[in-house]
Amino acid sequence: MPRQPGGRQAAMLLARLRRATEHSARYPILAQLRAFGPVLRMWRGVVVLGYQEVAEVLRDADRFGPPPPARRDATQPAWRDHPAALLGADLVTLKEGDGHRAARSAMHRALADALGGDFAIRVERRIDQAVERLAAEFSRTGAVEAMGTLIEPVAAGIFADLFGVSEADTAAVLPAAWAFAKVIDEAPQLLTDVEDQAAGTLLGFAARVADGASPLRGLSPAEAVGVLGPGLVNLSAAIGNLIQTLDRFPWEREGLLGDPVATDAGVEELLRYDAPAQGTVRIARMDAELTGVPIVAGDSIMVLTAAANRDPAQWADPDVFRPSRPGLSRTLSFGHGAHSCLGRAMVQLVLSRIPARLYRRFPTLRVAEPPVVRPALLRNYMTRLVLEAR
């Protein structure tokens, strides 16, 4: 099927998006892509960028589902040679149909139980510990790289509390989780021994978690990695994005420091404005149509939720961070429908606690240099975020 006009330019923009390392570069590229239309047919399939169209694809699992392993057998015969790719496929196709729904329900109940009791207090304790480490570093030097000092220790500590393992054990597998995140974006033939070793490290860690008294008890190690791997990196990325966003919009900080309602809205708006996960992939299970663009059964569909969350047809002034914005319950940062993110409540809880505990301790906190992100098409992960407090 022929491409739409502008397909060549759109393909070049997608290539730029995959290579981007400047945090500020991603959203202008997405806006340029969306200018070609809410749905683009390209030589490798379909790209969906409009809010209504993205929501429709995510909602309708009967027409648009995750890629099955059989498809990769046909298109990428060597993919099973990589443990990382094999593990990634197992996660994407986790228990289809009734089995998928039953597994999600069980995991949702277990996570809800784990987030009860004193878990919020333990989250605050982890944040306070990391903030004090940051203070100690500020006393030694004028600027601090915050990923290793503040952000990753908070994420590792919270996951250790959530899943009943040691903080040291969780911190030790964080590099593997970062490496494994590449599996989601890269074709298997591009993977290296680094990603394969990362998959093995995560599987071993997940096996220990799944055997213990944690919300993941009873899952296979591969299924447990589906929560642990993306969860660790997404939470780390979301904390970094929160700090970066409040640095760009400092006048919005005060409203997030004491009012729980304003803080909850601020978290929803943050994840609309700058989410760690920027999209996903679906396969057309039958012939369909999106906004006049024909979809053929078997088409690969790239669903860019980050573009949808800044669609001016849905949001006024979409490139502005505004916690008072109406309609934030309709954001697509956690997906939608049968494959929506199970970690939503945990991420919201953690992010809601950070502004007051960080900015009351450091009222003059600022980002000292442009943040750096990992080059990736569907992810938005920082590798460097330098802070200073004067």
Side-chain angles (χ1 to χ4, degrees), residues 171-187:
V173 301
L174 188 54
W178 284 108
F180 182 66
K182 181 180 178 183
V183 174
I184 299 171
D185 277 328
E186 299 292 347

Side-chain angles (χ1 to χ4, degrees), residues 4-59:
Q4 294 171 244
R8 180 179 177 83
Q9 295 93 321
M12 293 173 64
L13 287 169
L14 283 172
R16 283 177 53 197
L17 188 66
R18 183 186 291 276
R19 296 192 303 267
T21 57
E22 294 183 13
H23 185 271
S24 60
R26 297 189 61 86
Y27 292 103
I29 295 173
L30 288 171
Q32 292 176 67
L33 276 167
R34 199 175 46 242
F36 289 104
V39 182
L40 305 178
R41 171 159 287 284
M42 303 176 66
W43 69 276
R44 286 189 173 180
V46 178
V47 181
V48 185
L49 306 108
Y51 175 89
Q52 296 295 340
E53 293 77 12
V54 166
E56 180 177 348
V57 171
L58 295 177
R59 180 175 58 246

Side-chain angles (χ1 to χ4, degrees), residues 24-372:
S24 60
R26 297 189 61 86
Y27 292 103
I29 295 173
L30 288 171
Q32 292 176 67
L33 276 167
R34 199 175 46 242
F36 289 104
V39 182
L40 305 178
R41 171 159 287 284
M42 303 176 66
W43 69 276
R44 286 189 173 180
V46 178
V47 181
V48 185
L49 306 108
Y51 175 89
Q52 296 295 340
E53 293 77 12
V54 166
E56 180 177 348
V57 171
L58 295 177
R59 180 175 58 246
D60 194 343
D62 291 333
R63 291 192 298 163
F64 311 108
R71 179 182 177 88
R72 298 182 83 173
D73 286 333
T75 60
Q76 298 169 331
W79 73 279
R80 292 180 186 270
D81 294 337
H82 290 279
L86 184 62
L87 179 57
D90 184 69
L91 304 177
V92 169
T93 58
L94 171 64
K95 291 185 171 68
E96 286 289 331
D98 291 341
H100 177 83
R101 286 186 286 270
R104 283 183 59 87
S105 296
M107 292 170 69
H108 187 272
R109 288 192 299 270
L111 287 169
D113 290 343
L115 293 174
D118 68 345
F119 188 74
I121 296 173
R122 297 166 79 181
V123 166
E124 292 170 354
R125 186 181 303 128
R126 292 293 186 181
I127 296 170
D128 289 343
Q129 290 170 350
V131 166
E132 290 309 310
R133 281 194 295 270
L134 185 63
E137 288 298 307
F138 278 142
S139 69
R140 294 193 315 104
T141 182
V144 177
E145 203 294 299
M147 293 302 298
T149 303
L150 171 72
I151 295 169
E152 291 180 350
V154 167
I158 289 169
F159 267 71
D161 290 341
L162 183 62
F163 297 119
V165 295
S166 73
E167 181 180 2
D169 198 7
T170 309
V173 301
L174 188 54
W178 284 108
F180 182 66
K182 181 180 178 183
V183 174
I184 299 171
D185 277 328
E186 299 292 347
Q189 59 266 32
L190 300 180
L191 299 178
T192 68
D193 290 342
V194 173
E195 287 76 38
D196 288 340
Q197 292 168 6
T201 299
L202 282 172
L203 280 170
F205 177 70
R208 297 193 295 276
V209 170
D211 286 341
S214 86
L216 303 186
R217 183 177 177 84
L219 294 180
S220 73
E223 292 163 359
V225 170
V227 178
L228 287 167
L232 273 169
V233 295
N234 282 344
L235 182 59
S236 298
I239 296 170
N241 291 352
L242 170 66
I243 296 170
Q244 160 71 2
T245 298
L246 292 182
D247 185 76
R248 292 194 64 195
F249 299 89
W251 54 90
E252 297 288 2
R253 288 184 194 173
E254 194 63 32
L256 305 183
L257 299 188
D259 182 351
V261 174
T263 303
D264 289 345
V267 170
E268 292 288 352
E269 171 67 348
L270 165 75
L271 294 169
R272 179 203 68 83
Y273 178 80
D274 194 19
Q278 303 258 296
T280 187
V281 175
R282 293 289 185 265
I283 298 297
R285 292 178 166 173
M286 60 186 72
D287 291 349
E289 184 178 285
L290 286 174
T291 315
V293 177
I295 310 292
V296 178
D299 272 348
S300 177
I301 305 171
M302 185 184 300
V303 186
L304 294 178
T305 51
N309 276 337
R310 292 205 186 191
D311 185 349
Q314 177 68 24
W315 314 99
D317 300 321
D319 295 326
V320 175
F321 174 72
R322 183 180 299 143
S324 60
R325 182 185 301 279
L328 288 173
S329 62
R330 298 193 297 273
T331 63
L332 300 173
S333 305
F334 292 99
H336 190 66
H339 298 279
S340 58
C341 178
L342 286 165
R344 180 173 193 153
M346 183 198 68
V347 172
Q348 291 170 323
L349 170 64
V350 174
L351 295 184
S352 71
R353 297 308 197 270
I354 288 177
R357 312 192 88 78
L358 181 61
Y359 289 100
R360 284 183 178 152
R361 182 70 170 80
F362 303 111
T364 61
L365 188 73
R366 62 180 293 270
V367 176
E369 58 186 59
V372 178

